[in-house]
Amino acid sequence: QKEVEQNSGPLSVPEGAIASLNCTYSDRGSQSFFWYRQYSGKSPELIMFIYSNGDKEDGRFTAQLNKASQYVSLLIRDSQPSDSATYLCAVNGDSNYQLIWGAGTKLIIKP
Amino acid sequence: ETGVTQSPTHLIKTRGQQVTLRCSSQSGHNTVSWYQQALGQGPQFIFQYYREEENGRGNFPPRFSGLQFPNYSSELNVNALELDDSALYLCASSSASGGDNEQFFGPGTRLTVL
């Protein structure tokens, strides 16, 4: 059973600080990794994807992938109250059509 | 806005009934995936349609069935509804088959089974 694990939180971070979200996955063969943001009652929206080991930056967001340790993380710099949401990690499964999702981490940015 | 639309937004049904949910994919996308998201959980993959054919299926019983039309819009049908079917149903479109492609989600249909 392929799994993606996330700490459910809530993770509380002061406004302006760096929020660090982590995700571990069980399938060593996974190649594609996605971070989605989901506001309460809304559908997930794609923030970033990463395929290669290392860091990928996009504005205030940085995704980090370490395939040897089987984890992927998302850093949010200069956190804003509008970043308060649930962050979902998704990984491609061993079937080429499927994404496997974590349960999400609830992030709260305190003004 | 992703350009993916779903209807209806909300739906209330009783146990044993049947329901059809609809999804229009983003322009240029030929693949639609359906997910079930229970409260406090991540999405669970139901199935994917690529060019009108089922391209893969998750661990859902046969009473969950689907269809994709020539314009790549899609339907999810659920027969013999159970209380545990209450969830947010999401469709996501992408430009090619495979779980390693960026998927863009519609707003979802909130189904309540009483």
Side-chain angles (χ1 to χ4, degrees):
Chain A
Q1 180 82 2
K2 311 301 180 184
E3 292 184 342
V4 175
E5 299 286 342
Q6 294 182 258
N7 188 319
S8 61
L11 174 66
S12 184
V13 174
E15 184 177 356
I18 296 175
S20 178
L21 304 158
N22 299 309
C23 167
T24 60
Y25 59 95
S26 63
D27 182 7
R28 194 169 280 279
S30 294
Q31 296 293 321
S32 306
F33 307 86
F34 302 86
W35 281 101
Y36 283 81
R37 177 176 62 199
Q38 187 173 29
Y39 293 111
S40 180
K42 302 295 185 182
S43 60
E45 55 178 322
L46 181 66
I47 299 175
M48 292 188 70
F49 58 88
I50 185 167
Y51 300 142
S52 304
N53 268 334
D55 295 1
K56 179 181 179 183
E57 186 174 319
D58 183 1
R60 295 187 298 114
F61 299 94
T62 298
Q64 299 176 318
L65 175 60
N66 184 323
K67 289 186 178 180
S69 299
Q70 294 176 243
Y71 81 79
V72 55
S73 60
L74 179 70
L75 302 178
I76 307 174
R77 288 181 300 282
D78 189 24
S79 298
Q80 303 296 311
S82 59
D83 294 327
S84 298
T86 295
Y87 288 80
L88 296 160
C89 172
V91 176
N92 74 301
D94 54 1
S95 301
N96 65 358
Y97 49 78
Q98 188 175 0
L99 282 180
I100 301 170
W101 296 74
T105 298
K106 184 172 182 178
L107 176 66
I108 298 171
I109 307 299
K110 291 189 170 182
Chain B
E1 293 288 328
T2 63
V4 181
T5 62
Q6 290 186 246
S7 63
T9 305
H10 295 87
L11 202 53
I12 299 175
K13 291 284 189 178
T14 57
R15 195 170 46 183
Q17 284 188 310
Q18 178 266 343
V19 68
T20 297
L21 310 181
R22 295 179 175 82
C23 171
S24 292
S25 58
Q26 187 176 103
S27 177
H29 286 181
N30 56 17
T31 302
V32 172
S33 302
W34 284 93
Y35 294 87
Q36 180 195 67
Q37 187 177 23
L39 204 59
Q41 301 296 317
Q44 297 292 314
F45 175 75
I46 302 175
F47 42 57
Q48 182 182 88
Y49 277 84
Y50 171 63
R51 293 186 175 179
E52 303 178 58
E53 297 285 335
E54 186 178 292
N55 189 46
R57 190 179 182 93
N59 190 25
F60 279 80
R63 59 189 184 85
F64 286 78
S65 63
L67 209 56
Q68 188 178 32
F69 301 98
N71 66 355
Y72 303 129
S73 66
S74 178
E75 284 183 356
L76 164 65
N77 299 290
V78 187
N79 294 322
L81 283 167
E82 301 177 0
L83 297 179
D84 284 350
D85 295 333
S86 295
L88 180 67
Y89 287 85
L90 298 161
C91 86
S93 77
S94 53
S95 59
S97 67
D100 58 349
N101 292 285
E102 297 171 57
Q103 299 188 6
F104 298 90
F105 284 84
T109 294
R110 172 74 61 188
L111 173 65
T112 302
V113 181
L114 302 176

